[in-house]
Amino acid sequence: MKRRLMLLTAAAVPLAASLLPVAVNAATRDGGPTAATTCAAVPVSAPSGTRVVSVKAAFRAGGDFTFPSTPGLPQNPPITAVPDWCDISVVVTHPGANDTVTIKISLPQDAKNWNGRFQATGGSGYSAGDLSDLSVPLISAVKGGYVGAATDAGVKTGLDASWGLTADGKTNTGLLTNFASRSVHDMAVIGKDVANRFYRRAVTYSYFTGCSTGGRQGYAEAQNHPTDFQGILANAPAIEWNRFEIATLWSQAVYNEEKVAPSQCELNAFNTAAVAACDTLDGVRDGVIDNPQDCRWDARRLVGTKVECDGAEITITRAVADAVNKIWAGPVAPSGKKLWYGQNKGSTFAFIANPGAPFQVPDQWARYFVTKDPSFDSTKLTYRTFTQLFTSATRQYDDVIADNDPNLSAFARAGGKLLTWHGQSDQLIPTEGTVDYRRHVNAVFGGNKRVDDFYRLFLLPGVDHCGTPLFSTGPLVNPGADLDALVNWVEKGQAPATLPTTSVDGKTTRNIHHYPR
């Protein structure tokens, strides 16, 4: 049980954002002679409707930073030779929202270490960003010569959505607005203003980077605040929030209606068989389904097969096979109407398909937002009640957090560039949801060619949620190559045709072409 909870946390919070580094030969300190003379608070301008409460500065010593080893998680590489930096924390509030939001801006102390760029960073799960003293995204930004920024949106935590309800049981619209969109815009305006004042020169280029929730934040910015960033790197985006979150609870309804409770060992047998059957559809045997949409393998072909699980021999039944087919197909209403996409064949069932144990993020969305009932039990869902929950979610919150507006005209006119990659083995956010959005953008602009001028999507075979070695069987994007590609696109006009990737074992490299190739 302990290992499962550990992996669940890693999936909800992208690895780079979930592990805190430990400073080696570099003490983190506040104050001191250097800080008193060179790291100080600056005046701050905020957007209309946002009030600045306080501004504080803290000097941070650079050096080499390593990550603690955590059982069950891959070891992150150290971040070395980080220059000294200054953290400026800006606390803001929004009249009427009864909120307290912190925005942290991390600036290379020596102006010679600043490349003139601003990099806002996103969050994961119910976290809007990592503001910890040793935040990996912010330290990475400083290491890269950027001014980094992050916001907590006033919600503080990543896996607890209880903030969604007020004391009288109503939706906390102030915090939800922050989490959905407002706080990233605040961060963009305030972060760039702080950088301008700190260095006494203007930011040259501004970027946003994020995955999962961070990916959704990036899409929200392109749609709602098209001039905040010139470049947006938004991977595995959690857009269509209501649809994919509630769809993640579909397995609970399937298991209840089909009266089965398969173990992960049984479920793994289906993915293993699907990969074996569809591996060579692309002409290469590499243990990866290149395009899962081409895989027509039927789970019922495994009926009668014997699988050894925990020392016991289990025979795959027709009922379990039917349940797996329904999970792969995605949720449908009792009328037969398709509601949303299922997860791709080849992606692990370990998070969204545990009988009686729904994934924490959608379960809390259902409890604290959709039903507004903390005692709501999603393990009791049926096909009928699932459809009711799905319909209620989209009706209440699509206008707030769907972030599915395909009209990116203002972003395109402003010269913005949007770069996204999404793993074909994403176990949490169906890849087809991102493809569906891209198709709608194509329809608005008249096809791929015009959209490729400002928005490029890469689908990575065999890659899991946000690209970790945990469940990825296909090659991962080379570290930093996606941001480098975005920078070259924004600053040099070099649109990326491919992204360089390397297999988890480091033995194979491959260039992945952008959608639809």
Side-chain angles (χ1 to χ4, degrees):
M1 183 59 148
K2 182 177 179 182
R3 174 177 171 81
R4 180 181 173 273
L5 290 174
M6 209 178 309
L7 293 180
L8 181 150
T9 303
V13 183
L15 187 62
S18 65
L19 300 180
L20 300 181
V22 176
V24 178
N25 299 323
T28 300
R29 63 184 188 275
D30 296 321
T34 303
T37 56
T38 61
C39 181
V42 297
V44 174
S45 297
S48 175
T50 301
R51 182 171 65 85
V52 175
V53 176
S54 66
V55 183
K56 295 181 180 179
F59 175 80
R60 304 297 186 192
D64 298 336
F65 296 83
T66 61
F67 297 83
S69 176
T70 304
L73 296 178
Q75 180 68 44
N76 267 12
I79 305 175
T80 60
V82 180
D84 293 347
W85 75 93
C86 180
D87 277 338
I88 294 184
S89 296
V90 182
V91 176
V92 303
T93 189
H94 304 89
N98 192 30
D99 61 346
T100 301
V101 179
T102 301
I103 301 166
K104 179 179 283 187
I105 302 98
S106 298
L107 308 102
Q109 184 65 51
D110 189 333
K112 288 186 281 189
N113 291 323
W114 182 42
N115 58 23
R117 302 182 181 113
F118 172 75
Q119 181 186 346
T121 61
S124 56
Y126 289 108
S127 167
D130 182 0
L131 276 71
S132 60
D133 282 347
L134 296 173
S135 165
V136 175
L138 295 183
I139 292 176
S140 298
V142 171
K143 163 71 176 180
Y146 292 79
V147 167
T151 177
D152 66 8
V155 302
K156 313 302 181 188
T157 179
L159 289 176
D160 181 1
S162 58
W163 54 264
L165 284 179
T166 60
D168 58 356
K170 296 180 180 179
T171 300
N172 192 326
T173 56
L175 290 184
L176 179 57
T177 300
N178 289 348
F179 176 70
S181 59
R182 180 164 57 192
S183 287
V184 176
H185 176 58
D186 282 353
M187 171 174 55
V189 174
I190 290 172
K192 286 186 283 186
D193 184 59
V194 166
N196 294 344
R197 294 175 187 270
F198 187 83
Y199 295 113
R200 298 183 182 179
R201 66 185 177 94
V203 169
T204 307
Y205 295 100
S206 57
Y207 296 91
F208 177 89
T209 60
C211 186
S212 193
T213 287
R216 181 194 59 75
Q217 291 169 317
Y219 275 64
E221 278 291 292
Q223 295 166 26
N224 303 320
H225 301 286
T227 61
D228 277 355
F229 301 104
Q230 290 147 300
I232 295 175
L233 177 62
N235 301 325
I239 54 174
E240 294 285 8
W241 177 272
N242 281 302
R243 287 164 178 78
F244 94 82
E245 287 291 8
I246 301 303
T248 307
L249 299 173
W250 172 242
S251 63
Q252 303 302 312
V254 171
Y255 292 149
N256 288 334
E257 293 275 8
E258 304 302 322
K259 297 179 174 53
V260 295
S263 67
Q264 284 301 314
C265 176
E266 290 176 83
L267 294 172
N268 287 341
F270 288 96
N271 266 328
T272 298
V275 172
C278 298
D279 181 2
T280 57
L281 290 178
D282 60 346
V284 179
R285 183 173 295 282
D286 55 4
V288 176
I289 302 176
D290 195 73
N291 181 14
Q293 304 313 307
D294 291 338
C295 182
R296 305 300 180 190
W297 187 80
D298 190 324
R300 289 174 295 184
R301 296 187 64 179
L302 214 59
V303 172
T305 301
K306 298 184 184 302
V307 180
E308 185 172 328
C309 296
D310 296 324
E313 191 175 74
I314 297 175
T315 301
I316 300 296
T317 65
R318 175 64 177 263
V320 168
D322 286 342
V324 169
N325 274 337
K326 290 177 184 293
I327 294 170
W328 276 338
V332 295
S335 65
K337 177 184 176 182
K338 184 177 179 64
L339 298 176
W340 199 237
Y341 301 96
Q343 65 182 107
N344 285 339
K345 294 182 177 74
S347 61
T348 180
F349 290 108
F351 300 95
I352 74 163
N354 287 297
F359 187 49
Q360 188 172 351
V361 176
D363 182 59
Q364 295 207 16
W365 182 251
R367 288 194 281 131
Y368 293 110
F369 292 90
V370 184
T371 66
K372 302 174 186 62
D373 177 6
S375 66
F376 176 77
D377 188 355
S378 60
T379 68
K380 301 294 193 294
L381 285 169
T382 63
Y383 292 151
R384 181 181 63 83
T385 58
F386 174 89
T387 301
Q388 292 172 344
L389 184 70
F390 186 94
T391 303
S392 177
T394 55
R395 183 183 66 250
Q396 292 184 76
Y397 297 109
D398 262 13
D399 289 343
V400 180
I401 200 170
D403 300 314
N404 59 1
D405 183 356
N407 189 350
L408 297 177
S409 298
F411 182 72
R413 284 195 303 269
K417 308 299 181 188
L418 172 59
L419 181 70
T420 292
W421 58 255
H422 200 155
Q424 292 278 33
S425 288
D426 194 314
Q427 67 272 38
L428 299 181
I429 301 178
T431 313
E432 280 299 290
T434 302
V435 174
D436 181 84
Y437 175 79
R438 170 61 192 241
R439 292 192 190 107
H440 282 86
V441 178
N442 284 355
V444 170
F445 285 85
N448 271 309
K449 187 174 181 181
R450 292 184 64 187
V451 177
D452 279 345
D453 288 342
F454 65 90
Y455 171 24
R456 295 209 170 187
L457 169 64
F458 294 80
L459 303 178
L460 308 184
V463 171
D464 74 353
H465 187 60
C466 289
T468 80
L470 285 173
F471 297 102
S472 292
T473 55
L476 306 176
V477 174
N478 295 350
D482 46 5
L483 180 56
D484 289 344
L486 179 62
V487 168
N488 286 335
W489 194 8
V490 168
E491 300 179 18
K492 300 178 182 179
Q494 299 173 356
T498 62
L499 286 180
T501 65
T502 303
S503 60
V504 173
D505 61 12
K507 296 179 180 179
T508 305
T509 61
R510 178 182 179 187
N511 287 327
I512 304 296
H513 285 265
H514 64 87
Y515 175 89
R517 291 185 60 184

